[in-house]
Amino acid sequence: MPEFAVFVQGYQRFKSDAYVRQKARYDALASDGQSPPIMIISCCDSRVDPATVFDTTPGQVFALRNVANLVPPYETGGGLHGVSAAIEFGVLGLEVRHIVVLGHAQCGGIKASLDGGDLGEAGYSFIDSWVDIVRPARDKVLASASQDPQRDLELEAIRVSLANLRSFPFIAAREKSGQLKLHGAYFGISDGNLYVLNDKNDSFEVQ
Ligand SMILES: [Zn+2]
């Protein structure tokens, strides 16, 4: 597949350039292990790469990406809890000091929620139930006189994920003791702006 060959060429550029320049860093990360100070939960969307947006280096960010950067509520019942496993390892294993939920403009997962459960007809089996995490927020946005429900739900979904993070007992305990800080952020894509949630007034402020 020629498209993949382009990516292998990209890897070869990385191996002969960025890897060489960062060889000492990679050696230290290999021998000492990783100790990233921050976990970022962001969308799978190809336009929102946290390493690019936050201009980070290897070893700095423990990253979790999923459709619409959502965190499910804490629950230990049956099921394969990939998101909760990553959160558990980030907080209990790596002891990250910050968790950022990074939302973004033009999110397809949020659009799927707004479109309201008709994706099944298009052959999707999983997306509808996944974005159900934000159904109450979606209903609230749709019931409001919102001029921009897509953006309003993208921002509200970040608040929902932060609230769901706080439903994990080990997160609530660490936030209370000051060991862990939670942040909401939103990347505008076309304007390149980063908006960060101000806890004091519950609004997203451009940085
Ligand atoms: Zn998205």
Side-chain angles (χ1 to χ4, degrees):
M1 183 184 278
E3 291 90 346
F4 182 57
V6 168
F7 286 85
V8 174
Q9 287 169 6
Y11 158 72
Q12 287 162 345
R13 286 195 303 277
F14 159 78
K15 184 69 190 300
S16 61
D17 182 13
Y19 175 77
V20 173
R21 282 187 280 109
Q22 300 182 93
K23 177 84 168 73
R25 184 192 310 278
Y26 278 107
D27 284 346
L29 287 168
S31 59
D32 303 341
Q34 62 169 336
S35 55
I38 190 166
M39 176 172 187
I40 298 177
I41 300 170
S42 59
C43 187
C44 298
D45 193 298
S46 60
R47 300 165 294 183
V48 189
D49 173 20
T52 302
V53 171
F54 291 103
D55 193 22
T56 61
T57 53
Q60 280 189 308
V61 174
F62 186 63
L64 169 65
R65 300 180 74 167
N66 65 44
V67 169
N69 40 268
L70 298 179
V71 175
Y74 175 80
E75 60 104 359
T76 56
L80 299 170
H81 299 295
V83 170
S84 303
I87 290 167
E88 183 176 68
F89 184 64
V91 174
L92 298 183
L94 297 173
E95 299 184 314
V96 297
R97 298 187 294 280
H98 301 268
I99 301 178
V100 180
V101 176
L102 176 65
H104 72 97
Q106 291 106 45
C107 183
I110 294 300
K111 184 173 185 306
S113 174
L114 286 170
D115 288 347
D118 55 4
L119 283 172
E121 295 167 17
Y124 295 107
S125 303
F126 298 107
I127 295 176
D128 286 339
S129 56
W130 175 245
V131 298
D132 217 44
I133 291 170
V134 292
R135 179 187 290 268
R138 182 203 66 183
D139 292 346
K140 193 171 85 175
V141 167
L142 289 178
S144 73
S146 172
Q147 298 296 304
D148 190 348
Q150 172 82 24
R151 181 183 171 91
D152 286 349
L153 186 54
E154 284 161 354
L155 296 178
E156 197 57 27
I158 296 167
R159 296 185 178 96
V160 169
S161 287
L162 289 169
N164 286 345
L165 279 171
R166 292 184 171 108
S167 71
F168 287 69
F170 54 84
I171 289 180
R174 280 166 175 73
E175 190 180 32
K176 192 176 175 192
S177 69
Q179 292 170 272
L180 179 66
K181 180 108 176 70
L182 305 187
H183 311 266
Y186 179 88
F187 180 57
I189 297 188
S190 67
D191 58 15
N193 285 340
L194 183 75
Y195 304 81
V196 171
L197 181 61
N198 182 335
D199 291 335
K200 294 188 177 66
N201 59 19
D202 195 38
S203 67
F204 283 84
E205 297 173 349
V206 70
Q207 300 302 294

